[in-house]
Amino acid sequence: MQTVLQKAKTFIYRNARPLDLARWRYHFENGSKEEVVQTLMCYQNIDGGFGHALEADSWNPLSSPIQTWAATEVLKEIDFDDRDHPIIDGIVHYLESTRQFDSHVWFNTIESNNRYPHASWWHMNRKEDNEYNYNPTACLAGFLFYFAVQGGGTQILACRIISEAVNAFLNSNGQDMHTILCYIRLAQYYERTGLSVENEFPGFISALRQKVSASITQDTAQWEAGYACRPSQYFCTKSDPLYQDNRIMADYECSFIKSTQQQDGSWVVPWCWESYPEQWAVSKNWWKSHIIIKNLLYLKGVDPDWRKI
């Protein structure tokens, strides 16, 4: 009988995009960071931003903030920290210079998305839809603060955006799980500089931890029924303080992941597009590889016997 790991590997090697195969090799087969980075750069445009369906729900080849955010998530996943690398230089340049920024937020959706196959949530209806939306701005501001030249104009810009983002968070009653993740990244980037985000913004970390716990779907029956927020949305190791806040649900998710793997080694993709059925069939398969890596990383970080399952 194949283990969860073996079945997942089979699916990845049969179906994954080169980027996800490189990610798999890095995390589970002693592959290299450079292979991941070089493959990721194939999605990077001349302006430094990312497109080409890196975020698989939008087939826009042009650069967008959300697809550039997706690139930063891959770099964070492999703990890539080379400030002098061209991929970092390109992202910083894009964030500094793109017109998809109104001096307060990088736009969540952009008009050019509408010209290519995409999920409905990436369709731009009105420019006003981007106002005060800190997904992905909170994360991108943290990235820019960490990687920009210390004390330079770009880092000063990032500081202002971070301040605005945190104030918006502290004065908002509700945040969706995707935006909460962006704020987690903001805090992580900030603290990687050696500074204390809690000292700079009193109450932010405690408020963030509270919103994380409140947003996790407690009714686990909903986890199988549809799109729900699980602990793996926010962390994937026992060393993360968020694990201790949500230990019972976090440990349960290990059992849930193991029991819901499909025979082909993948997991159900709990969303779908309303249009473009042929393209969605392709994207759905791409998402399966992403979900496999996410689930296996979670088991690796939380379940000490993950290789035996």
Side-chain angles (χ1 to χ4, degrees), residues 183-196:
Y183 276 101
I184 290 172
R185 293 288 183 262
L186 184 158
Q188 291 169 341
Y189 282 122
Y190 200 92
E191 290 170 354
R192 282 171 72 180
T193 65
L195 301 174
S196 169

Side-chain angles (χ1 to χ4, degrees), residues 258-276:
K258 289 180 276 187
S259 67
T260 54
Q261 187 182 35
Q262 299 183 104
Q263 191 57 40
D264 68 356
S266 70
W267 279 265
V268 170
V269 180
W271 68 89
C272 65
W273 296 5
E274 297 172 357
S275 304
Y276 309 103

Side-chain angles (χ1 to χ4, degrees), residues 109-290:
T109 58
I110 60 174
E111 186 277 330
S112 59
N113 286 350
N114 300 0
R115 303 199 293 268
Y116 303 92
H118 62 281
S120 59
W121 44 91
W122 295 135
H123 191 86
M124 184 167 181
N125 296 306
R126 304 173 306 152
K127 187 175 181 180
E128 291 77 11
D129 293 340
N130 286 304
E131 291 182 358
Y132 311 113
N133 189 341
Y134 282 98
N135 171 21
T137 290
C139 176
L140 294 177
F143 179 94
L144 197 59
F145 178 74
Y146 182 72
F147 283 104
V149 174
Q150 186 173 4
T154 299
Q155 192 180 61
I156 292 171
L157 169 67
C159 283
R160 175 176 61 77
I161 299 168
I162 288 171
S163 179
E164 292 172 353
V166 171
N167 287 332
F169 183 85
L170 292 173
N171 289 289
S172 172
N173 292 324
Q175 298 284 351
D176 69 86
M177 63 181 180
H178 304 291
T179 307
I180 291 172
L181 176 61
C182 289
Y183 276 101
I184 290 172
R185 293 288 183 262
L186 184 158
Q188 291 169 341
Y189 282 122
Y190 200 92
E191 290 170 354
R192 282 171 72 180
T193 65
L195 301 174
S196 169
V197 69
E198 182 64 15
N199 287 344
E200 186 72 21
F201 305 104
F204 172 57
I205 294 299
S206 59
L208 181 59
R209 291 172 71 164
Q210 289 172 16
K211 289 190 179 184
V212 165
S213 297
S215 69
I216 293 174
T217 304
Q218 301 297 308
D219 180 2
T220 56
Q222 295 184 35
W223 292 14
E224 287 193 60
Y227 199 69
C229 182
R230 291 153 41 188
S232 58
Q233 166 70 13
Y234 301 126
F235 59 88
C236 65
T237 68
K238 281 190 172 183
S239 61
D240 194 304
L242 295 173
Y243 169 81
Q244 290 301 327
D245 293 346
N246 305 280
R247 183 176 55 82
I248 294 175
M249 300 300 288
D251 290 343
Y252 174 78
E253 185 171 2
C254 291
S255 300
F256 175 82
I257 289 172
K258 289 180 276 187
S259 67
T260 54
Q261 187 182 35
Q262 299 183 104
Q263 191 57 40
D264 68 356
S266 70
W267 279 265
V268 170
V269 180
W271 68 89
C272 65
W273 296 5
E274 297 172 357
S275 304
Y276 309 103
E278 293 181 2
Q279 291 87 350
W280 165 241
V282 176
S283 283
K284 183 178 181 180
N285 217 43
W286 292 343
W287 279 119
K288 285 183 177 182
S289 294
H290 177 79

Side-chain angles (χ1 to χ4, degrees), residues 16-25 35-41 43 54 70-71 74 77 293:
R17 295 192 283 185
L19 175 61
D20 295 323
L21 180 57
R23 291 168 63 207
W24 174 270
R25 287 173 175 162
E35 181 186 4
V36 178
V37 172
Q38 288 300 319
T39 311
L40 180 61
M41 289 180 74
Y43 295 86
L54 176 60
V74 174
E77 177 187 284
I293 294 170

